Amino acid sequence: MSDQTQHQSVRQFRRFALVICAIGVVIQLGLTAYYLGMGHKATAHHLPVGLVASAEQRAEVVGLLEAGGHFRFGDYASADALTTAIKRREVYGGVDVTGTPHLYVASAAGPAAASLLRATYTAVVQQRTAAQVTTLAQTTDQVGIRTVQSLITPPLVTDVVPLPAADVNGVSLGFLTQALSLGGTIASIGLGRLIPRTRRSWRRGVAHSATLVVYAIGSAVAILWSMSWFGVGSGADRWEMLGIFSLISLAVTGSTAGAVALIGPAGAAVGAFYFTIGTVISGASILPEFLPTFGRVLGENLPTGAGVQAVRENLYFPDAPIGPHIAVLAAYAVIGCVLVLITNVLPNRKDRTSEVDLDLTVRLEGAPVEENRGATQISAGAPNQ
């Protein structure tokens, strides 16, 4: 190699290294800004809560609790109606002030929401207690025992749907979502590189889609098996969970594979988007009501977000409607598989195959083995032109 050629090679390497470093810095800057923007100061925005109170009590309670615009109140006739609404995930919790004030929360719906309700409720009770003590001090020198007991008794709190002991922090859903999205992305990229090694045909499309379905079921089985090691979801219906996890996996792999089939290797960015962007706004770690509006809307309409909500409701809130989340997942799965089928039925403009094993070609296309082998031998024996 001449000095000039070597010098040019070094310059090309430096340019390539500089470009790679610049791209890495830009990606890191963008992701850092995104992650911090979504989660560094997560604040509740109109968190739905319930209230059992008379008309006079309602004005006072709402005035004390809604400082900062964190809550959106709904009225309920009784404590039973409120707890039913919590179990259906219509509200994250609520307060009954018709008798002794009583707070109801649901840790399984989101520890952050339950903590916010507890903290706000406790602060309000302390404010009212301080006001009562001040009033008593101004009006009398003696306080009865019952009055003292009522002042020092901790506020009543009931966790209607608590988190299981095996998942005290409620982080399992986030881990499961990450595993499904990452595994589905890798599988889609791998299939996207394998399948195009044979000629396009409806047989190849069916084989590709069938492989995605088989992988989705296998992925769901793996997730359920790993959950059993740690006691997560031990009380859930296994068949229902298998169906939901399979649909989540197929939504991720199917839509990613459809993008790859439609636009080529760049379509794998769809899977990367689910993993890097979608998991943050899925509602697993940061509840939708604690996200900016953009993140909440986008997250609820991605496979990761719809999947998290479907799993949470199936695990902890069997009375809650799950249909809308299933519809989102099914849309991604169906559209992705349809794209895979359509792109395989369309004629191949290049009309070529690669060095894939001929037996795989035969299984996918149904061509006679002898014919393909004969063509290969003729091609191999032809003299170079």
Side-chain angles (χ1 to χ4, degrees):
M1 179 182 294
S2 66
D3 292 342
Q4 183 178 1
T5 303
Q6 185 175 6
H7 181 66
Q8 184 178 3
S9 177
V10 171
R11 288 172 55 189
Q12 291 176 345
F13 172 78
R14 289 176 178 174
R15 291 175 182 173
F16 180 75
L18 182 61
V19 170
I20 293 298
C21 290
I23 292 174
V25 169
V26 171
I27 293 176
Q28 182 174 338
L29 178 63
L31 288 177
T32 301
Y34 170 74
Y35 291 148
L36 292 178
M38 290 296 163
H40 86 290
K41 194 178 180 181
T43 304
H45 306 284
H46 307 294
L47 190 76
V49 296
L51 179 61
V52 182
S54 64
E56 296 78 10
Q57 292 172 322
R58 188 185 193 283
E60 178 187 2
V61 173
V62 171
L64 291 171
L65 292 178
E66 74 173 357
H70 298 312
F71 304 110
R72 172 168 55 84
F73 291 92
D75 295 311
Y76 293 90
S78 64
D80 290 339
L82 175 59
T83 55
T84 299
I86 293 173
K87 292 177 181 179
R88 291 182 56 82
R89 290 206 68 196
E90 295 174 5
V91 292
Y92 282 90
V95 182
D96 178 7
V97 295
T98 53
T100 302
H102 197 145
L103 174 66
Y104 297 88
V105 298
S107 299
S115 297
L116 176 62
L117 281 168
R118 288 175 185 269
T120 305
Y121 178 67
T122 300
V124 169
V125 170
Q126 289 174 346
Q127 290 176 6
R128 295 188 67 184
T129 300
Q132 290 175 341
V133 170
T134 301
T135 301
L136 288 172
Q138 294 174 346
T139 58
T140 181
D141 293 332
Q142 297 181 349
V143 179
I145 295 177
R146 291 184 179 180
T147 302
V148 173
Q149 289 178 338
S150 65
L151 292 174
I152 65 175
T153 299
L156 298 175
V157 180
T158 298
D159 198 340
V160 179
V161 188
L163 282 166
D167 187 22
V168 292
N169 295 318
V171 298
S172 297
L173 289 179
F175 296 148
L176 296 176
T177 304
Q178 288 183 337
L180 282 170
S181 58
L182 179 59
T185 300
I186 294 173
S188 297
I189 294 173
L191 287 172
R193 293 182 63 85
L194 171 64
I195 299 299
R197 291 177 179 269
T198 55
R199 295 181 187 275
R200 293 189 183 189
S201 69
W202 68 269
R203 293 177 183 271
R204 190 180 81 170
V206 171
H208 193 172
S209 299
T211 304
L212 292 173
V213 173
V214 171
Y215 170 80
I217 297 174
S219 175
V221 170
I223 291 292
L224 285 173
W225 189 26
S226 63
M227 287 171 61
S228 66
W229 301 345
F230 304 98
V232 177
S234 56
D237 186 299
R238 290 291 172 176
W239 289 108
E240 289 183 3
M241 291 305 301
L242 177 65
I244 293 173
F245 281 128
S246 298
L247 188 55
I248 295 172
S249 181
L250 186 59
V252 173
T253 56
S255 55
T256 304
V260 171
L262 190 63
I263 64 176
V270 171
F273 178 83
Y274 294 153
F275 180 71
T276 58
I277 304 298
T279 54
V280 177
I281 56 178
S282 65
S285 302
I286 307 174
L287 293 175
E289 288 80 7
F290 284 71
L291 290 168
T293 302
F294 166 77
R296 177 181 60 80
V297 175
L298 178 61
E300 291 175 344
N301 290 283
L302 290 177
T304 46
V308 162
Q309 300 306 322
V311 172
R312 175 178 278 133
E313 292 177 1
N314 187 265
L315 283 176
Y316 308 128
F317 299 89
D319 295 334
I322 198 174
H325 310 309
I326 296 299
V328 172
L329 293 172
Y332 277 92
V334 170
I335 291 174
C337 290
V338 168
L339 285 175
V340 168
L341 290 172
I342 291 176
T343 53
N344 279 283
V345 171
L346 293 176
N348 189 353
R349 288 172 294 182
K350 295 182 179 179
D351 195 28
R352 68 184 183 187
T353 58
S354 63
E355 65 278 5
V356 71
D357 178 44
L358 289 177
D359 288 337
L360 176 59
T361 306
V362 171
R363 288 197 294 272
L364 292 177
E365 298 185 8
V369 176
E370 292 77 7
E371 180 181 338
N372 284 336
R373 287 177 176 169
T376 304
Q377 291 173 356
I378 292 174
S379 175
N384 295 329
Q385 300 296 329

